[in-house]
Amino acid sequence: GVGKTLSDTIIRRIFAHVQQDDDGQGGDEDDNEMVFEEFTDIVVALTCFTDADPYFPLEKKVEKFCGKLWEEAKAIGLRL
């Protein structure tokens, strides 16, 4: 599943990179929050990290990743 591929360290590193401003510096905003654009960036980054097949369309990869993520969340009792 998704959790087996992504370690806590990898997720934190991707989250930190998504949080950076355009100049490459970390923002002054709360580092534990993100705007919707940053959220979509991280979903795509995590998708590409877990499925690096260059011949499979990105849109389909994201759908597949989100589907797996939702299934795993439900399996551990999270409500989405």
Side-chain angles (χ1 to χ4, degrees):
V2 174
K4 295 177 185 174
T5 307
L6 297 167
S7 70
D8 186 53
T9 304
I10 291 169
I11 292 171
R12 288 178 185 276
R13 187 173 296 157
I14 292 171
F15 186 89
H17 285 285
V18 167
Q19 291 289 90
Q20 290 182 349
D21 292 334
D22 291 336
D23 61 2
Q25 302 296 318
D28 292 334
E29 300 135 18
D30 188 353
D31 290 338
N32 293 320
E33 296 179 2
M34 63 175 49
V35 296
F36 185 73
E37 183 180 350
E38 292 171 329
F39 173 75
T40 57
D41 288 349
I42 201 167
V43 168
V44 171
L46 292 171
T47 298
C48 291
F49 190 87
T50 58
D51 185 353
D53 182 357
Y55 301 107
F56 196 68
L58 182 58
E59 180 181 339
K60 297 294 182 188
K61 287 185 202 181
V62 171
E63 287 176 14
K64 180 179 162 186
F65 175 82
C66 288
K68 285 183 182 179
L69 190 62
W70 274 219
E71 287 175 21
E72 291 182 25
K74 282 183 179 178
I76 62 170
L78 296 177
R79 296 179 64 179
L80 301 173

